[in-house]
Amino acid sequence: MIDIKSMTEADLSKWLGGFNVAPYRTGQIFRWIYHRHVTSFSQMTDLPKALREFLSEHMIITQVSIDRIQTSSDGSKKYLLRLRDGQHIESVLIPERNHWTLCISTQVGCAMGCKFCLTGQNGFVRNLRASEIVNQVLTIIQDFDSHERLTNIVLMGMGEPLANYDNVLKALRIITSNNGLGFSSRRVTLSTAGLVPEIQRLGRDINVNLAVSLNASEDNTRSYLMPVNRTYSLKEVIDACKRFPLPPRRRITFEYVMLAGINDSLRDAERLSRLLRPVRSKINLIPFNQFDGSKFKRPDDSVILSFQKYLIDRKYTAIVRKSKGSDISAACGQLRARMG
Ligand code: SAH
Ligand code: SF4
C-alpha cells in the first residue's frame, strides 16, 4: 500500500497521471485530507466512485495516535504520539503572545550525539516518514481548540532534520502548500546542527527559515559538544550560511545553548560576534535545560545577561529564550520517546 501522506502534490499528480487520472483530482484529494481531515477515500464524495475504490485498493491514509498530553504550568502542551510500529515521538505546542508554535520531531532519537542534549544521548532509532512528520501537525490541529492560531512550525523536536533530508523536504512541501496544510513558509523554521551539504540543498529546494545550532564560538569546544563539528567545522557552517539564499528582511537564527563555564564567557561572546558579522542573523541564547545525569549547568542569570548585552551592544538581535515546558520535560533537549 502506498502511504499517500508521504506524497507531495507533484508525487500524487505523477502517480495518478500514470493511470490517466486528471491532474485536478490531486488538489481535490489533498483538500479532503489536509483541510477536511477525512480518514478514508470513501468519504471523498466529489470523486467518482470508481476512483475512490481504486484509491482505496492502492493507498492508505495513515494516522498517528495520541498516547498522552501533558500541560505545563506555562501553558505549553506536550503530545506523546504513537507511530504505527509502536515507536513514540513527542511534539510540543508552545504558547506565544498572539499565536501558537508547534515544535515537531523528524526522527525517533538522533544520531548526532550532542553532549548537552537528552535526545542525542539516548541514540538513534529511525527516520520518520514524511507522513509521520505531517501527521504530527495534522493530529494536533484536530485535537487543539485554538488551531486557527497555530501559525508557526519549528522542526526543533527530536532528531536532526537534515539527516532525514528527503522525507523532511516532502513533509515541508505538504505543510506549506495551499492544498496541503497551508502554513506560510515564512512561519516554518528548520533547525540543524550544521550539515553543510544539506544546508546548501535546502536553500535550493525550499524557502523555509533556517536555524543553526551553533552552541560554541570556537572549534575545540564545538567539537567536544557536537561531534558533527569534526566533519563540518564552524568556518564551513558559517560559509554555508553566508551563501544561503535569504529573501529580503529574513535572517538566519543561531541557537546557542548556554553552559556554565563551557561557552558563556565574554571571550565567547566576542568570538561569536566576530563569527556572525558576515551573516544576516539573530541569536537565540538558550539557557541549558537540565536533565538527569547531565554534567552541565546553566549559567547564572547575570552571566547570561552580560553575554546578551555584549551582543546587543554590537548591534545583534540576541534573545534569551525563556524555557517553556521544563516542568513536563518539554523544553529544548529534554525530549525523549518513552512512555512513563
Ligand atoms: N537537531 C536539530 C534540531 C533539534 S534540537 C538541532 O540540533 O538544531 C533543537 C535545539 O535544542 C538545538 O538548538 C539544541 O542546541 C537545543 N538543545 C538541545 N539540548 C538542549 C538542552 N539540554 N538545553 C537547552 N537547549 C538544548
Ligand atoms: Fe540531535 Fe539536535 Fe540533540 Fe544534537 S542537539 S543530538 S543534533 S537533536
Side-chain angles (χ1 to χ4, degrees), residues 116-117 156-157 159-160 191-193 213 215 255 257 286 288-289 332-333:
F116 51 83
C117 174
M156 294 187 187
E160 167 49 47
S191 175
T192 176
S213 299
N215 300 334
E255 293 153 293
V257 179
I286 316 173
F288 174 63
N289 291 312
C332 293

Side-chain angles (χ1 to χ4, degrees), residues 107 109-121 156-161 192-193 213 215 226 333:
Q107 299 181 312
C110 183
M112 308 307 269
C114 303
K115 284 213 172 51
F116 51 83
C117 174
L118 182 62
T119 309
Q121 291 305 295
M156 294 187 187
M158 292 169 60
E160 167 49 47
T192 176
S213 299
N215 300 334
M226 305 178 73

Side-chain angles (χ1 to χ4, degrees), residues 14 27 36 43 54 57 79-81 94 98 114 136 175 190 196 219 242 264 266 280 282 288 301 309 314 340:
K14 188 163 171 233
R36 303 177 73 171
Q43 293 165 281
F54 176 77
E57 277 161 28
Y79 286 79
L80 181 70
L81 303 174
I94 305 155
N98 298 311
C114 303
Q136 293 171 65
I175 288 170
L190 179 150
V196 167
D219 279 318
K242 275 196 258 180
D264 61 346
L266 287 182
R280 281 204 332 257
K282 55 186 170 191
F288 174 63
D301 286 346
K309 181 169 184 306
R314 277 148 196 85

Side-chain angles (χ1 to χ4, degrees), residues 138-150:
L138 200 49
T139 306
I140 286 161
I141 284 176
Q142 290 176 76
D143 180 72
F144 176 52
D145 293 337
S146 316
H147 58 81
E148 70 286 349
R149 286 197 294 137
L150 169 54

Side-chain angles (χ1 to χ4, degrees), residues 15-87:
W15 187 82
L16 290 172
F19 301 97
N20 294 321
V21 177
Y24 73 94
R25 297 290 183 200
T26 304
Q28 278 181 305
I29 297 169
F30 255 63
R31 291 190 296 273
W32 277 113
I33 294 178
Y34 297 108
H35 298 186
R36 303 177 73 171
H37 307 157
V38 303
T39 52
S40 76
F41 293 104
S42 60
Q43 293 165 281
M44 302 183 180
T45 46
D46 57 0
L47 302 184
K49 189 146 182 285
L51 178 57
R52 282 183 259 160
E53 282 170 4
F54 176 77
L55 294 172
S56 335
E57 277 161 28
H58 292 90
M59 299 188 139
I60 171 168
I61 304 176
T62 55
Q63 284 171 279
V64 299
S65 43
I66 300 176
D67 263 10
R68 187 177 64 201
I69 304 173
Q70 286 171 285
T71 304
S72 157
S73 52
D74 63 29
S76 45
K77 290 172 198 285
K78 181 168 77 167
Y79 286 79
L80 181 70
L81 303 174
R82 194 177 64 248
L83 308 175
R84 276 155 36 99
D85 65 353
Q87 293 289 342

